[in-house]
Amino acid sequence: MTDVHLQPQPRIDVLVTDFETEDRRLRTDYVGVAWIGDQPDPETGLMGGEYSRRQVDTRLFLPDTHWYDADELDSVEVQVTAGILQVALTDRRTQGLLGALTSPEVEFYDHPEGEDGVGICLWIRGEILSNVALSYRVTVVCDPIALKRKGAVDEDDLVDDVEGVPAIS
């Protein structure tokens, strides 16, 4: 299985008004980069050129996920977008081949340590032939009562480079 490392950006939470109903809704944006196969060099920002066929099929809990009451998510709206940031050069100094990554999906999963609530899980699948950096944005809009507790924001996880970023796989 291929290593995947997440580098989250600060989570943004805002209360918004639903256009049609004028109900208050909680909008949360989770944003970051998933380094697939390797982490970039902290000095150059470039990933290594390891060239090999690797399967990617991983569900990643977003490290700053809120914990939601699954029974209150009837009207939840979720949007996920992703884009390739970097495909590493091969060892031969030619552009690496990407292979294919399917559209990322978002799922709600029970807390991995058995605590109450469900959290956001980003699912990435495909096959790559070189290292890839994938930018992601997950937007969740829900009734504020669905929020059981705020997700942790560990300032050590929100860094400008990849040194010390924990691998999550």
Side-chain angles (χ1 to χ4, degrees), residues 1-47:
M1 219 24 95
T2 301
D3 288 336
V4 179
H5 308 273
L6 289 182
Q7 180 182 359
Q9 294 295 309
R11 181 188 65 228
I12 297 176
D13 296 306
V14 294
L15 282 175
V16 297
T17 303
D18 184 276
F19 181 73
E20 293 180 12
T21 65
E22 295 191 19
D23 291 339
R24 286 177 27 149
R25 308 277 284 160
L26 174 64
R27 176 186 168 149
T28 303
D29 289 297
Y30 304 94
V31 179
V33 175
W35 302 100
I36 303 171
D38 192 13
Q39 289 183 325
D41 181 292
E43 292 179 21
T44 66
L46 300 175
M47 293 184 290

Side-chain angles (χ1 to χ4, degrees), residues 24-90:
R24 286 177 27 149
R25 308 277 284 160
L26 174 64
R27 176 186 168 149
T28 303
D29 289 297
Y30 304 94
V31 179
V33 175
W35 302 100
I36 303 171
D38 192 13
Q39 289 183 325
D41 181 292
E43 292 179 21
T44 66
L46 300 175
M47 293 184 290
E50 179 186 341
Y51 186 84
S52 63
R53 182 178 303 253
R54 290 169 279 171
Q55 295 296 316
V56 178
D57 187 1
T58 186
R59 288 179 173 91
L60 306 161
F61 267 109
L62 299 186
D64 55 345
T65 186
H66 286 319
W67 296 98
Y68 300 91
D69 183 340
D71 295 332
E72 298 294 339
L73 290 174
D74 292 341
S75 64
V76 69
E77 296 177 50
V78 178
Q79 181 183 68
V80 60
T81 57
I84 300 297
L85 288 177
Q86 184 182 133
V87 178
L89 294 174
T90 67

Side-chain angles (χ1 to χ4, degrees), residues 21-167:
T21 65
E22 295 191 19
D23 291 339
R24 286 177 27 149
R25 308 277 284 160
L26 174 64
R27 176 186 168 149
T28 303
D29 289 297
Y30 304 94
V31 179
V33 175
W35 302 100
I36 303 171
D38 192 13
Q39 289 183 325
D41 181 292
E43 292 179 21
T44 66
L46 300 175
M47 293 184 290
E50 179 186 341
Y51 186 84
S52 63
R53 182 178 303 253
R54 290 169 279 171
Q55 295 296 316
V56 178
D57 187 1
T58 186
R59 288 179 173 91
L60 306 161
F61 267 109
L62 299 186
D64 55 345
T65 186
H66 286 319
W67 296 98
Y68 300 91
D69 183 340
D71 295 332
E72 298 294 339
L73 290 174
D74 292 341
S75 64
V76 69
E77 296 177 50
V78 178
Q79 181 183 68
V80 60
T81 57
I84 300 297
L85 288 177
Q86 184 182 133
V87 178
L89 294 174
T90 67
D91 294 333
R92 297 179 189 139
R93 309 295 298 159
T94 59
Q95 186 65 37
L97 296 175
L98 173 62
L101 292 174
T102 63
S103 298
E105 295 181 29
V106 171
E107 298 175 328
F108 290 92
Y109 269 84
D110 291 330
H111 194 286
E113 295 170 2
E115 292 185 34
D116 199 22
V118 294
I120 300 292
C121 189
L122 179 63
W123 188 10
I124 301 170
R125 296 180 305 235
E127 182 177 283
I128 61 174
L129 301 172
S130 60
N131 298 316
V132 177
L134 181 79
S135 170
Y136 68 87
R137 173 181 296 275
V138 176
T139 300
V140 176
V141 179
C142 66
D143 188 325
I145 65 170
L147 182 65
K148 292 186 85 58
R149 65 188 178 283
K150 288 184 175 183
V153 177
D154 185 349
E155 294 300 319
D156 292 337
D157 287 343
L158 305 176
V159 294
D160 292 328
D161 62 77
V162 296
E163 286 183 341
V165 175

